[in-house]
Amino acid sequence: MTVRVFPGGHRPRASAIVKARTNPVTPAEATGIDRRGFADMDMKLEVVVVPVSDVDKAKDFYQALGWRLDADFVTGPDFRVVQLTPPGSACAIIFGAGVTSAVPGSAQGLQLVASEIDAARAELASRGAEVSEVFHDAGGVFHHAGTEGRAPGPAPEHKSYGSWVSFNDPDGNGWFVQEVTTRLPGRTTSVLATYDSVAGLAGALRRAAVAHGKHEQETGQPDPDWPDWYAQYMADERKGQDAGA
């Protein structure tokens, strides 16, 4: 009989210990999820191309918003690729020279999500964006094109998915920010969007386990709330990595 010791020294109760099977249970079997009807290959939205006329002006604008500069490659007089990522986003934008034939400013309805629409508006305004007042759509489903159907103020009771602000980049590419406080069932983002792979998530758990072991040594007692500690450690570590720490 093999007893598995969990990260941080935690081990399952005796009632949870079972004999190993000849063919070990796979993670999919353990979850009890029937994957029939689901795609086997994850395909995450990674990049959106934004058409701009002045690469440096666009770069300055998005960096002023606090977006992380991931790359700025120049391979010749007619080809340049600039990539930036909004804070906390798993999807980046790319613009440059020779990367799209779309008309500069023709990208409309690009969308960001924030948990507090008033705070998001205040930050955008403080960083130089000409941002609209908070509004909700008169139809209550999704914003219309342009400024059609806008009702002033947030959605009643700040209903999740219902409140918006909008702004444009220097070329007129149109952005919206939507307030999402509680996601509807099935619309949560996979943790792998943050950690890229199962191996990446496992590595984060191992680092949390080591750090938590030191925490328990310092306190001199077991921590029954170790899942909360792990979660906070991993969230803080990810935030630091996204900030370039």
Side-chain angles (χ1 to χ4, degrees), residues 103-152:
V103 176
S106 61
Q108 299 297 315
L110 300 165
Q111 185 167 316
L112 303 165
V113 165
S115 58
E116 296 180 28
I117 198 65
D118 294 305
R121 184 191 182 282
E123 178 161 347
L124 286 168
S126 72
R127 290 178 174 273
E130 294 185 9
V131 59
S132 74
E133 296 295 331
V134 176
F135 68 91
H136 63 281
D137 190 78
V141 178
F142 192 73
H143 65 77
H144 286 64
T147 58
E148 225 24 70
R150 294 189 180 187

Side-chain angles (χ1 to χ4, degrees), residues 17 39 45 65 73 80 137 164 167 177 181 185 195 209 211 213 224:
I17 300 172
L45 181 62
L65 296 185
F73 298 122
R80 180 180 177 187
D137 190 78
W164 309 81
F167 67 95
V177 183
T181 54
Y195 289 101

Side-chain angles (χ1 to χ4, degrees), residues 27-181:
E29 290 174 325
T31 61
I33 297 174
D34 183 356
R35 289 191 59 84
R36 288 176 295 180
F38 291 87
D40 290 327
M41 180 64 67
D42 286 342
M43 293 188 182
K44 301 181 284 257
L45 181 62
E46 190 82 9
V47 168
V48 172
V49 177
V50 178
V52 304
S53 59
D54 187 320
V55 180
D56 288 317
K57 189 174 182 179
K59 178 182 174 182
D60 289 344
F61 173 80
Y62 286 109
Q63 280 195 281
L65 296 185
W67 296 20
R68 184 186 69 225
L69 178 64
D70 300 322
D72 187 347
F73 298 122
V74 180
T75 62
D78 300 319
F79 194 75
R80 180 180 177 187
V81 179
V82 177
Q83 177 174 309
L84 295 106
T85 302
S89 176
C91 183
I93 64 167
I94 278 180
F95 53 82
V99 298
T100 178
S101 59
V103 176
S106 61
Q108 299 297 315
L110 300 165
Q111 185 167 316
L112 303 165
V113 165
S115 58
E116 296 180 28
I117 198 65
D118 294 305
R121 184 191 182 282
E123 178 161 347
L124 286 168
S126 72
R127 290 178 174 273
E130 294 185 9
V131 59
S132 74
E133 296 295 331
V134 176
F135 68 91
H136 63 281
D137 190 78
V141 178
F142 192 73
H143 65 77
H144 286 64
T147 58
E148 225 24 70
R150 294 189 180 187
E157 301 179 353
H158 276 271
K159 181 181 178 182
S160 192
Y161 298 99
S163 303
W164 309 81
V165 294
S166 65
F167 67 95
N168 293 336
D169 74 2
D171 281 289
N173 293 301
W175 289 89
F176 289 87
V177 183
Q178 181 184 38
E179 183 178 67
V180 177
T181 54

